[in-house]
Amino acid sequence: MRTIAWAGLSALLSILAAIVAPASAEDGYDLWLRYRPIEAAAAADYRMVATQLAPGGASPPIAAATAELRRGLTGLLGTTPEVSETAGAGALIYGTPAGSPQIAALDLDLGDLGREGYMIRSLRIDDRPVTVIAANSDVGVLYGAFALLRLVQTRQPIDRLDLRARPKLALRVLNHWDDLDRHVERGYAGQSIWDWHRLPDYRPELYTDYARANASIGVNGVVLNNVNANALSLTAPYVAKAAALAEVFRPYGIRVYLSARFSAPVEIGGLTTADPLDPDVQAWWRAKADEIYAAIPDFGGFLVKANSEGQPGPQDYHRTHAEGANLLADAVAPHGGVVMWRAFVYSDQAPDDRAKQAYTDFVPLDGRFRPNVAVQVKNGPIDFQPREPFHPIFGAMPATPLMMEVQITKEYLGFSTHLAYLGPLYEEVLQSDTMRPGAGATVARVIDGSADGHALSGMAGVANIGADRNWSGSHFDQANWYVFGRMAWDPEAARARPIAEEWVRMTFSNDDRFVEPVVDMMMGSREAVVDYMTPLGLHHLMATGHHYGPAPWVSDLARPEWNPTYYHQADADGIGFDRTAAGSDAVAQYAPQVGDRFSDLDAVPEPLLLWFHHLPWDYRMRSGKTLWEELVLTYDRGVSAVGEMRRTWAGLQPYVDPQRFDDVTVFLAIQDKEARWWRDASLAYFASRSGRSLPEGTTEPEHPLTYYQGLSYPFAPGN
Ligand code: GCU
């Protein structure tokens, strides 16, 4: 009886606690915009600088900036700054010269800030200390407000500021692979946050919070629907729903885009063809664009997946990707829209190495796209693997604006249960030098347009956001959303480590005893996944369809390049995909210095070894070990790294709220279990191919190979 009574009482208490203090629940909803009170001593100093808010005007972005500053400063400093038009000592004055006489009077040099940049300066006006956030647009001011809050959140001094920042990319875009039935392709955070059925009328606060989060990291575009598009999303009812979202996002500087199905003129337009050169088809797309722009005046444009994995496209009519892209580009051009045309293509007929096909299709079209087309290229030539070399297209289409597409969602890196911080993956690609003629053409400088003088530039991230309360399915996956935005702001200068640190401070704690170990853990986490899933350049070893778990043995799928055996080619003699001149010659798609380096066994980076080479099991690695021994060791290293992550996290309990501590603890345990599964299943299989036993002293797989081959997960998410 007593136990039951106590259980009842504690349940009641927790319900009461939830009602009394819902805002302080640490369920992850607040993301990096938590604004929890800072230490009393520091708060006093900050308060001197932010006692009063003096907004320049009342436009929606300025109102959003005011609301955010009030919310943030109140939370952080414990007092609500008053809003006043006249600025006293400690005032925060923000606006544009056009919207704020106070800013205009300062005669600041904003020339190099562009439309979205901002400056933050500590100044004295009439001998009173003030802080000024100035920009050329109200959205620039909003970005400045978030930047100022970030300084306080990460405990930077704000009394002598002289900061200038501007985004280096024009388009910083999330791609939602969300279907109209709320399923999210490769989504591991629940259903789609777009409640299509209840839109356009129902616009929960969630959508505003989504926009706030994106604006805080500089994301300025959102593709609402899956690249495997349903033509219905272009019909009037769905355009009205998209328009409702656009209205919510507009104050935050975010434009909406739609994925367009190339065959829409046939499917919803009543035409008999979608041929890009057909005048009726052209007229249909022009009318469709006019209709969309009437509902959404700042509509961003279209994203298109064409002639890829069964999607319709211009090649169905023997036209090129350029002709297809230009069709849509001409339709949106009068309205200032763009087309993001994906280069993720591989044919079901071409027998050539899949890694080569996008280049083969697209590079001959360089210079043939309209100026408002950006070709959107995945970071690597296969498909968002834990590690890939940079995509060769980045070094080969100087006359075409190229966007880079990365996955934020972790289709191939353990879904949302494995802790894998993707900052190092993004940085590795962005900093890769394409070695194109003309020095310094890193991928970052190709996509920011500076290598070739393109004004249209951008980066897209496949979103990891769903209806889960913590947005991303796990607390640490929020960091991947965050780092995407921060890197897209300035891909050349951005670095994974400081961004991780910033995120940890904002999301969890500023206590260095917490920050340092967590940042270290995050920085090593992606490499751990590479090690226990696809070490030494192996790739595409996961199970069919849902891609959950290891299945390097699969060899019976209809298309050769769907089979893991196609990628690793392991047999009794050796392992790896020969992409040198003796093999598929994919190396020839890179600039000669890069291709030579990848071809040369003494120069190729070992983490990419088996991507480019097929080698005997006894091949001597730089460590002196054989390839087989090194492979086993690397799998083991991945598994131990996860054990280390668990130990690190367990020691950090004093610095984390119980809810998030427990959530992360449980997921790390899942990761540990699955890392062992990857290691054991892969080694059991490769041992069977190589005919070798594991080196002495290593642990045998827990089960025989047939056990792993028998596992099946028909309902794994995201498929
Ligand atoms: C991957 C992914 C698909 C997706 C495709 C794409 O292959 O598994 O779900 O549609 O990429 O990027 O178009």
Side-chain angles (χ1 to χ4, degrees):
M1 263 317 271
R2 257 179 87 184
T3 330
I4 293 170
W6 273 110
L9 183 60
S10 82
L12 182 66
L13 284 176
S14 54
I15 291 168
L16 280 176
I19 295 169
V20 174
S24 65
E26 293 283 12
D27 54 17
Y29 182 81
D30 291 340
L31 295 162
W32 48 88
L33 303 175
R34 279 168 71 249
Y35 304 138
R36 294 294 188 273
I38 71 178
E39 313 70 36
D45 290 346
Y46 284 118
R47 256 183 234 125
M48 315 258 287
V49 187
T51 51
Q52 197 191 53
L53 303 179
S59 72
I62 295 290
T66 301
E68 198 68 32
L69 288 165
R70 273 174 71 96
R71 177 203 288 250
L73 294 172
T74 305
L76 288 158
L77 307 181
T79 51
T80 304
E82 59 164 310
V83 180
S84 156
E85 273 176 21
T86 46
L92 189 53
I93 306 171
Y94 48 99
T96 63
S100 159
Q102 296 187 90
I103 298 283
L106 294 172
D107 199 20
L108 299 164
D109 177 12
L110 308 179
D112 63 347
L113 296 180
R115 204 186 64 79
E116 295 175 298
Y118 58 85
M119 68 151 60
I120 311 182
R121 275 178 73 178
S122 308
L123 292 173
R124 296 189 84 80
I125 299 182
D126 299 336
D127 218 27
R128 290 192 296 267
V130 297
T131 306
V132 171
I133 304 175
N136 293 315
S137 74
D138 290 343
V139 167
V141 176
L142 176 65
Y143 287 156
F146 277 114
L148 184 81
L149 286 167
R150 185 159 60 232
L151 294 174
V152 182
Q153 287 175 282
T154 55
R155 308 294 186 271
Q156 309 291 308
I158 58 166
D159 53 346
R160 251 166 285 171
L161 293 175
D162 188 3
L163 291 177
R164 307 173 80 83
R166 68 174 289 181
K168 298 282 162 52
L169 299 185
L171 311 180
R172 307 175 301 277
V173 185
L174 287 184
N175 289 184
H176 283 262
W177 285 0
D178 295 18
D179 294 325
L180 303 183
D181 62 1
R182 299 192 74 178
H183 170 261
V184 182
E185 184 154 339
R186 313 313 178 183
Y188 313 104
Q191 283 197 300
S192 168
I193 61 169
W194 314 135
D195 192 344
W196 291 113
H197 183 67
R198 294 191 179 105
L199 279 164
D201 303 304
Y202 176 62
R203 304 170 189 193
E205 192 63 20
L206 175 76
Y207 296 162
T208 306
D209 289 335
Y210 168 87
R212 289 174 49 231
N214 276 324
S216 77
I217 53 174
V219 167
N220 69 355
V222 174
V223 183
L224 298 172
N225 59 321
N226 194 349
V227 286
N228 296 318
N230 187 325
L232 288 180
S233 58
L234 299 176
T235 57
Y238 281 94
V239 169
K241 294 167 195 280
L245 290 172
E247 247 170 63
V248 177
F249 301 162
R250 192 165 293 125
Y252 294 89
I254 298 167
R255 291 174 179 227
V256 304
Y257 298 75
L258 290 172
S259 291
R261 186 160 163 89
F262 198 78
S263 52
V266 177
E267 289 177 44
I268 58 168
L271 302 186
T272 52
T273 176
D275 182 348
L277 300 193
D278 183 291
D280 289 342
V281 173
Q282 294 168 351
W284 187 87
W285 280 108
R286 276 199 305 273
K288 183 50 73 183
D290 294 348
E291 178 196 335
I292 296 174
Y293 277 93
I296 312 172
D298 56 353
F299 179 64
F302 295 122
L303 171 66
V304 187
K305 171 175 178 176
N307 292 120
S308 167
E309 301 187 326
Q311 294 299 314
Q315 292 175 339
D316 303 347
Y317 306 95
H318 308 290
R319 312 294 184 203
T320 66
H321 280 286
E323 286 166 322
N326 294 344
L327 164 74
L328 275 75
D330 289 343
V332 295
H335 307 280
V338 301
V339 169
M340 299 173 287
W341 190 268
R342 297 176 86 229
F344 177 68
V345 298
Y346 59 98
S347 152
D348 47 357
Q349 268 112 46
D352 203 6
D353 176 2
R354 172 173 162 190
K356 291 171 63 183
Q357 293 182 28
Y359 180 105
T360 307
D361 261 14
F362 275 81
V363 170
L365 301 175
D366 192 25
R368 307 253 299 273
F369 293 90
R370 297 279 191 269
N372 60 332
V373 175
V375 170
Q376 183 167 308
V377 183
K378 286 190 181 181
N379 57 280
I382 295 285
D383 190 11
F384 301 134
Q385 297 302 295
R387 167 165 282 119
E388 299 196 24
F390 72 88
H391 203 303
I393 285 184
F394 289 120
M397 292 185 70
T400 309
L402 298 178
M403 287 176 69
M404 179 162 86
E405 173 178 331
V406 295
Q407 254 189 2
I408 306 172
T409 193
K410 306 203 313 293
E411 175 181 357
Y412 299 104
L413 288 101
F415 297 4
S416 56
T417 30
H418 293 211
L419 195 164
Y421 171 57
L422 299 178
L425 189 162
Y426 303 161
E427 182 180 321
E428 183 176 295
V429 185
L430 289 166
Q431 298 303 322
S432 298
D433 194 338
T434 66
M435 294 282 186
R436 267 179 27 193
T442 57
V443 172
R445 294 199 63 240
V446 170
I447 66 164
D448 74 14
S450 62
D452 304 295
H454 297 302
L456 180 55
S457 59
M459 188 161 156
V462 181
N464 65 351
I465 298 158
D468 275 8
R469 179 71 187 163
N470 67 19
W471 302 87
S472 302
S474 85
H475 298 294
F476 273 90
D477 276 338
Q478 297 176 353
N480 293 327
W481 178 8
Y482 186 85
V483 69
F484 166 76
R486 299 289 284 143
M487 284 210 168
W489 180 271
D490 190 347
E492 197 185 1
R495 290 293 179 275
R497 179 175 280 275
I499 294 173
E501 177 173 338
E502 197 176 85
W503 176 82
V504 170
R505 290 180 181 278
M506 295 166 81
T507 308
F508 281 106
S509 163
N510 271 283
D511 192 320
D512 287 335
R513 290 167 297 179
F514 179 82
V515 175
E516 281 170 24
V518 173
V519 171
D520 285 345
M521 175 174 88
M522 289 170 72
M523 288 301 293
S525 59
R526 176 267 189 147
E527 204 61 40
V529 174
V530 172
D531 284 350
Y532 64 72
M533 286 188 182
T534 52
L536 302 177
L538 291 174
H539 48 289
H540 218 290
L541 304 182
M542 61 285 145
T544 308
H546 48 61
H547 299 164
Y548 173 65
W553 46 81
V554 171
S555 64
D556 58 354
L557 302 177
R559 286 168 55 167
E561 77 287 345
W562 283 350
N563 292 303
T565 50
Y566 169 91
Y567 297 96
H568 63 66
Q569 316 224 341
D571 59 18
D573 298 327
I575 182 169
F577 197 121
D578 185 358
R579 294 194 165 101
T580 68
S584 80
D585 204 21
V587 289
Q589 295 185 335
Y590 291 94
Q593 285 140 294
V594 179
D596 289 350
R597 189 159 65 96
F598 289 155
S599 299
D600 178 354
L601 277 172
D602 292 328
V604 63
E606 278 192 343
L608 289 173
L609 187 67
L610 302 177
W611 187 284
F612 288 110
H613 296 271
H614 184 84
L615 295 168
W617 294 106
D618 283 329
Y619 173 78
R620 280 286 150 204
M621 301 292 289
R622 285 168 208 157
S623 63
K625 301 202 161 42
T626 66
L627 172 56
W628 170 242
E629 289 164 344
E630 187 100 1
L631 188 72
V632 176
L633 270 180
T634 313
Y635 272 110
D636 277 336
R637 190 173 64 199
V639 171
S640 338
V642 179
E644 194 53 42
M645 283 158 69
R646 289 181 80 182
R647 279 187 292 281
T648 301
W649 187 252
L652 295 170
Q653 184 160 22
Y655 311 105
V656 199
D657 49 280
Q659 183 168 348
R660 289 188 299 172
F661 179 79
D662 289 348
D663 290 348
V664 174
T665 301
V666 170
F667 277 16
L668 283 171
I670 295 176
Q671 182 172 7
D672 192 299
K673 195 169 64 181
E674 295 187 351
R676 288 169 200 279
W677 170 31
W678 265 94
R679 180 254 182 216
D680 286 354
S682 306
L683 288 180
Y685 170 72
F686 289 130
S688 79
R689 301 304 291 162
S690 67
R692 283 154 200 258
S693 43
L694 298 197
E696 216 167 300
T698 37
T699 317
E700 287 298 319
E702 197 181 341
H703 302 282
L705 177 58
T706 46
Y707 166 86
Y708 299 108
Q709 290 173 321
L711 297 174
S712 135
Y713 300 89
F715 305 115
N719 197 0

